[in-house]
Every structure is written in C-alpha cells, then in structure tokens.
Amino acid sequence: VQLVESGGGLVQAGGSLRLSCAVSGFTFDEYTIGWFRQAPGKGLELVSCISSIDGTTYYGDSVKGRFTTAADNAKNTVFLQMNNLKPEDTAVYYCAARHPSCFSATFDSPEESANYWGQGTQVTVSS
C-alpha cells in the first residue's frame, strides 16, 4: 500500500498550490481520502476529506472557501487545490485513507482512524 503526496513547495501569501495524493495497493473507491496538516509545534489538523463512494466532502473551518478537494478515480489520485494561501497554512501536509467513511472532526483525534498514511509534503507560505 502506498500513498504518495506531491506538489508542495514555497509560495507567497495569496498564491495557490495543488497537492496530489497518488494511491496504490488497495481498492481506491472503497476508501475515503483525507488531508491532514501539521504545523511546527502543533498537532495534526484535519483539512479535508473526500469519499469517491458517495461524493461526500468535508472541509475544516480554517480552509473553507479557499481549499477544494477532488478525486480522479481513473488515476487513483486525490487532489487538494489550495487558493489564497496564508502564512498560517504553512505545514507538512499528509494524505490518509480511511474505510469506509470520511474522517470526522467531531472526534478529538480523527487521525487515529486512518488505515494508511502518506509520507507528507511541505507547504511553506511566505508573508
């Protein structure tokens, strides 16, 4: 099983980046894919989630209206389009897979329900 993130980098505030999470080793449409981030000295934060099973999406309050997640089932890839980036978006971004439903921020530690994780990609937003 592999989840491989790409697309991170350095961008100025107000700019955009698109992260990709390429999945292999399990049946893509049986899992949901979430994006988490971890800023220096902080815990993991659930950013978004998408279910290719029923089209459900979730966004954290801090990214609503700026980030969009989408899935390309043919390519077993999930994207996170990040627009109007802010310095506080600086973090390592991870994708994670969960079966059978999306991660929920209702729980204190949604990351504990992940089945698989990627290695992470750094996003740095300069002011």
Side-chain angles (χ1 to χ4, degrees):
V1 173
Q2 275 195 314
L3 288 80
V4 180
E5 301 96 335
S6 61
L10 173 64
V11 64
Q12 288 188 328
S16 298
L17 282 173
R18 188 176 80 154
L19 304 183
S20 299
C21 175
V23 170
S24 62
F26 60 85
T27 305
F28 182 72
D29 58 7
E30 291 184 354
Y31 286 78
T32 66
I33 302 296
W35 286 96
F36 290 81
R37 66 185 182 186
Q38 187 166 30
K42 297 189 176 180
L44 282 166
E45 176 189 5
L46 176 61
V47 174
S48 69
C49 189
I50 185 166
S51 168
S52 58
I53 303 169
D54 60 10
T56 301
T57 56
Y58 163 87
Y59 297 96
D61 288 341
S62 61
V63 306
K64 276 181 184 175
R66 300 187 299 122
F67 290 14
T68 303
T69 188
D72 184 335
N73 287 18
K75 296 183 178 180
N76 285 6
T77 301
V78 170
F79 304 98
L80 182 67
Q81 178 67 43
M82 306 186 295
N83 298 328
N84 190 22
L85 282 160
K86 304 175 181 181
E88 51 264 42
D89 294 318
T90 294
V92 178
Y93 285 71
Y94 300 90
C95 63
R98 186 181 188 276
H99 173 79
S101 58
C102 257
F103 296 93
S104 172
T106 302
F107 302 102
D108 288 341
S109 301
E111 66 273 14
E112 293 182 356
S113 64
N115 296 105
Y116 307 110
W117 286 93
Q119 83 288 349
T121 186
Q122 176 70 47
V123 171
T124 303
V125 184
S126 63
S127 56

